Amino acid sequence: GTYGARENETSAGCSGPCAPGYFCGEGSTTPTRSRCGSAGLYCPLGSGHPLPVRRGWYSVGGRTADSGGTSQPASPLACPSGTGHNDTAALGNDAVPPLTLSLLAPVVVPEPDSRRACRGGPLGDEDTRAGQAPCEPGSFCAAGRRFECPPGRAGTHFEEARPECSELCHAGFFCGWASTTPDRSPCGGADRFCPAGSGAPTPVAAGRRTDPAEPVDRRSHQLPCPPGSYCVGGVQQLCPAGTYGARENETSAGCSGPCAPGYFCGEGSTTPTRSRCGSAGLYCPLGSGHPLPVRRGWYSVGGRTADSGGTSQPASPLACPSGTGHNDTAALGNDAVPPLTLSLLAPVVVPEPDSRRACRGGPLGDEDTRAGQAPCEPGSFCAAGRRFECPPGRAGTHFEEARPECSELCHAGFFCGWASTTPDRSPCGGADRFCPAGSGAPTPVAAGRRTDPAEPVDRRSHQLPCPPGSYCVGGVQQLCP
């Protein structure tokens, strides 16, 4: 820590202490025997060896031309944004670990060789530093060098050693070089946004919007203008009811056109098939903003089918005579139509609800995408927008029938199959069968019984016992021989 420049020294103090920024081993002959070595080391006056700079501190002083070749003591150097930058300095990987951040928002962090070092003012050569000082807010220190916190980051306290500084700039704000708080500058308006870690505001892209849930001057992200809406200046507007907007980032209130038949589109709809009309009891013509109820005694038509490319098609009323137009069967639930209960003198065969046949062939598609309505034809009844054949034993004689039992009981001596339009549709057929009122099919005469010979042979309505003294075969009585 001392040196002897002259011969014949007489004390251990020799010629004096080693110069600041240098160290002197035993037997040194000059005050600048050995340079301190690097920015990560400092050598105060009288150093016998270099001292390491503390973590979060930086070295000061250093040999300069103005100092006549010797290191000068220095006060800590303030380094606000835009001042004190005589040049830039590389921050090598051997000095500081690479900056790796896991952040939700993209953060602009300069590469090490572009970080700005505060090297102006009293800082001289890095290998002759004479003192150390704590890193001030807005900066970080590594390997004895002091650097500004990069854009998008903030250094909120002294002695920061991390290249990313202490905090990410808050969402909704931006932070330039050497920021000391994470909420330094509000982003500014709905037409710009600042994600966490922003160094400057980002303009909203065309057809995009910022988040209206955030304060207007502190928007943190942009969002696509969703289908069903249009966006101007970062603000979203919805497409009107009955129309739809199929694409993102629309800029016009016209959107994409009217809602498809069989569907309805509320405000902000994104497709022409936004909401299925709902059930067979509802229908939705072209451009519907809400479903319409089917009239009593009418049924819904149209509907989405594979043949229509997935959209509902308009349809004419569908005739449904017995044995035609039945692609399948449909249950008639108790929630749609009350159970059929009849008080009749003659036995009547009435199918249970789950066996009633719905007229669903022809132009009828899915029940929840009906596009129009039509009146129930004779031979059928309509309930909850569905059309069903009149059951066996009953007849539907007029349009707009809404009762599950239809309008009339089939007459005695006749039978009525599915979808009968008259109560005397088919004569019973012979002496060996009979048809009471409400018959859906002839009933064979029981063994040993007879039909009534007082009735026409093809319209027998009941059977009788075969009396004593006779025998009966095929419904005809013969006397015992």
Side-chain angles (χ1 to χ4, degrees):
T2 64
Y3 72 98
R6 299 176 299 273
E7 291 182 345
N8 306 324
E9 291 286 359
T10 59
S11 75
C14 296
S15 301
C18 201
Y22 298 83
F23 67 95
C24 300
E26 267 187 331
S28 293
T29 59
T30 69
T32 56
R33 167 69 180 273
S34 301
R35 296 191 177 203
C36 205
S38 71
L41 301 170
Y42 72 101
C43 296
L45 180 69
S47 292
H49 56 82
L51 299 174
V53 175
R54 288 177 58 181
R55 175 178 169 81
W57 289 50
Y58 62 102
S59 56
V60 294
R63 179 181 179 277
T64 65
D66 294 341
S67 65
T70 59
S71 299
Q72 301 297 312
S75 302
L77 172 64
C79 190
S81 179
T83 64
H85 309 294
N86 289 353
D87 53 17
T88 59
L91 177 60
N93 289 337
D94 57 337
V96 180
L99 176 56
T100 56
L101 301 176
S102 296
L103 301 169
L104 294 177
V107 179
V108 178
V109 178
E111 291 301 311
D113 60 0
S114 67
R115 291 200 184 95
R116 297 192 293 183
C118 299
R119 299 180 65 186
L123 301 186
D125 291 345
E126 289 190 345
D127 59 352
T128 58
R129 294 294 167 86
Q132 62 176 344
C135 231
E136 295 85 0
S139 62
F140 70 93
C141 291
R145 298 184 182 95
R146 182 170 178 271
F147 298 87
E148 288 185 326
C149 290
R153 307 293 303 191
T156 60
H157 53 265
F158 285 86
E159 300 187 30
E160 180 58 71
R162 295 166 295 180
E164 66 271 26
C165 294
S166 52
E167 290 193 47
L168 193 66
C169 194
H170 288 181
F173 298 84
F174 66 95
C175 301
W177 285 101
S179 292
T180 58
T181 63
D183 53 359
R184 177 169 174 175
S185 304
C187 202
D191 61 346
R192 63 201 69 183
F193 65 99
C194 295
S198 289
T202 303
V204 174
R208 300 296 181 93
R209 64 189 174 103
T210 51
D211 191 344
E214 298 177 317
V216 70
D217 64 338
R218 286 175 279 164
R219 300 285 166 90
S220 66
H221 55 286
Q222 70 174 353
L223 302 168
C225 199
S229 62
Y230 65 98
C231 293
V232 175
V235 178
Q236 176 187 354
Q237 303 287 341
L238 296 177
C239 292
T243 65
Y244 71 100
R247 299 174 297 273
E248 287 187 342
N249 306 329
E250 290 283 0
T251 58
S252 145
C255 298
S256 302
C259 203
Y263 299 81
F264 67 97
C265 301
E267 209 178 28
S269 293
T270 61
T271 68
T273 55
R274 164 73 179 273
S275 302
R276 295 192 176 202
C277 206
S279 71
L282 300 170
Y283 72 102
C284 295
L286 179 71
S288 291
H290 58 82
L292 301 172
V294 175
R295 288 177 57 182
R296 175 178 168 80
W298 289 50
Y299 63 102
S300 55
V301 295
R304 178 183 181 277
T305 64
D307 293 340
S308 67
T311 59
S312 299
Q313 302 296 312
S316 302
L318 171 67
C320 191
S322 179
T324 65
H326 308 295
N327 289 355
D328 52 18
T329 60
L332 175 61
N334 289 338
D335 58 337
V337 180
L340 176 58
T341 57
L342 300 176
S343 297
L344 302 168
L345 294 175
V348 179
V349 178
V350 178
E352 290 300 311
D354 61 0
S355 68
R356 292 197 184 96
R357 297 193 294 184
C359 299
R360 299 181 64 189
L364 300 186
D366 291 347
E367 289 190 345
D368 57 356
T369 56
R370 295 294 165 85
Q373 61 176 344
C376 230
E377 295 86 1
S380 62
F381 70 93
C382 291
R386 298 184 182 95
R387 182 171 178 271
F388 297 88
E389 292 181 327
C390 290
R394 308 293 302 188
T397 60
H398 54 265
F399 283 87
E400 299 188 33
E401 181 59 70
R403 297 168 293 179
E405 65 272 23
C406 293
S407 51
E408 290 193 45
L409 193 65
C410 197
H411 291 181
F414 298 85
F415 68 93
C416 301
W418 286 102
S420 292
T421 58
T422 65
D424 53 0
R425 176 170 176 177
S426 302
C428 202
D432 61 345
R433 63 199 71 183
F434 66 98
C435 294
S439 290
T443 303
V445 175
R449 300 295 181 96
R450 63 189 175 104
T451 52
D452 190 346
E455 296 177 319
V457 70
D458 64 341
R459 285 175 280 167
R460 301 286 168 89
S461 65
H462 56 284
Q463 66 179 352
L464 300 169
C466 201
S470 62
Y471 67 98
C472 295
V473 177
V476 179
Q477 177 184 355
Q478 302 287 339
L479 294 176
C480 291

